[in-house]
Amino acid sequence: MNKLMLLTSILCMSLALHSQSVDEIIALNLKARGGEEKIRGLKTMVMECVSNRQGMEFPVKLSFANKVGFRLDMQIMGMDCFMLINEKAAYNYFPMRGQAKPEAMPEELHKGMIARLDIQGDFVDYKEKGANFKLLPEEKLDDQPCYVLLSTNKEGKEKTIYIDKKTNLVIKDISKTEVEGEEREVASTYSDFQTIDGYVLPMTLSSPINGDMKVSKYIINTALKPELFEVKD
């Protein structure tokens, strides 16, 4: 019985230390990004970018209002295109695909993208959001040691997050998303970090879906009208 109690105590202590390690890593990341209080003050963000995909360059504008909406505007072959997400639905409009007007995207796609509305990030109030994190063995990316966290949100969607041990910033994540009707793992990378209005933000973002994006300008906490994230009738 004494041995059983001892083993139980050791197991509980091990779990407590594991939980503490995850929270310590999260705290290091929040501090590196500008501090938790600063991040909680992030309400809107606009990114002006140039995207390079399959050898083609085109301007892209990303607009975010925390927990309200996300909008992507771009111009391809001289035609204005957009995609938007709000809490209720997601829409896109790409006339080169034959779309005559904005069309609602499938509900499953909307569910998979709604996390984009939380621009303060995965780590702020993660317990209240119903998410949990598991600490995985460290890995190296380009010879740089990284903490690796496995995130599971309240819907059960998983994301693997790589945090540079030197800077404590997220430099890569891998999530599952629906691409052309199939669920695939999509890896996104973040680099060339700069401090903008007290926030540490990547100037280069890369993913198979969006290609390589270079950010030319961040606009922080500017007023964005709710109508920006709605489809006009």
Side-chain angles (χ1 to χ4, degrees):
M1 180 65 72
N2 288 337
K3 288 184 178 180
L4 179 60
M5 292 178 64
L6 179 60
L7 287 172
T8 303
S9 297
I10 291 172
L11 178 61
C12 290
M13 289 175 63
S14 175
L15 291 172
L17 288 172
H18 173 78
S19 177
Q20 185 180 16
S21 297
V22 168
D23 286 339
E24 285 176 353
I25 293 168
I26 288 174
L28 288 171
N29 173 263
L30 293 175
K31 182 178 180 182
R33 289 165 53 202
E36 183 173 350
E37 184 178 352
K38 181 75 174 177
I39 295 167
R40 288 182 181 278
L42 182 59
K43 303 303 181 185
T44 69
M45 180 168 64
V46 177
M47 301 165 60
E48 296 179 2
C49 319
V50 174
S51 178
N52 187 319
R53 187 176 182 186
Q54 298 177 343
M56 293 177 57
E57 286 194 347
F58 44 88
V60 176
K61 184 177 181 180
L62 307 175
S63 303
F64 304 82
N66 191 48
K67 299 180 181 179
V68 174
F70 161 79
R71 182 180 176 112
L72 179 151
D73 289 280
M74 64 177 72
Q75 192 174 77
I76 303 176
M77 296 185 292
M79 291 180 280
D80 293 328
C81 315
F82 72 82
M83 178 180 73
L84 67 83
I85 307 165
N86 56 44
E87 290 186 317
K88 297 179 180 179
Y91 298 86
N92 63 21
Y93 174 60
F94 291 89
M96 75 285 299
R97 298 177 182 173
Q99 290 178 302
K101 62 180 181 178
E103 297 177 2
M105 300 169 69
E107 186 177 350
E108 282 302 311
L109 271 179
H110 174 249
K111 288 181 179 179
M113 297 188 295
I114 200 167
R116 298 187 188 190
L117 304 188
D118 185 359
I119 63 173
Q120 295 178 0
D122 296 312
F123 296 150
V124 174
D125 294 332
Y126 77 87
K127 293 177 182 177
E128 288 79 357
K129 295 172 185 175
N132 64 72
F133 290 89
K134 178 182 178 182
L135 182 60
L136 302 181
E138 292 183 9
E139 295 185 31
K140 285 188 175 182
L141 295 180
D142 297 326
D143 293 325
Q144 181 59 45
C146 293
Y147 300 114
V148 185
L149 298 179
L150 177 64
S151 164
T152 306
N153 67 15
K154 64 181 180 180
E155 286 81 26
K157 295 285 187 179
E158 293 184 344
K159 180 195 294 186
T160 306
I161 301 169
Y162 297 81
I163 300 175
D164 187 327
K165 289 186 68 176
K166 184 177 180 180
T167 64
N168 294 315
L169 296 169
V170 174
I171 58 173
K172 181 179 179 178
D173 59 45
I174 302 174
S175 58
K176 291 182 179 179
T177 188
E178 189 172 313
V179 179
E180 297 177 352
E182 296 182 4
E183 187 175 66
R184 301 181 189 176
E185 283 194 344
V186 175
S188 301
T189 60
Y190 312 91
S191 58
D192 303 328
F193 289 86
Q194 293 185 17
T195 302
I196 312 291
D197 293 342
Y199 297 94
V200 180
L201 301 165
M203 304 303 291
T204 301
L205 304 89
S206 181
S207 75
I209 297 175
N210 297 321
D212 297 324
M213 290 204 304
K214 299 285 186 181
V215 184
S216 59
K217 186 178 183 181
Y218 280 96
I219 305 172
I220 305 295
N221 287 341
T222 188
L224 296 177
K225 295 181 178 180
E227 295 79 29
L228 181 66
F229 308 105
E230 301 285 347
V231 171
K232 297 178 180 178
D233 295 330

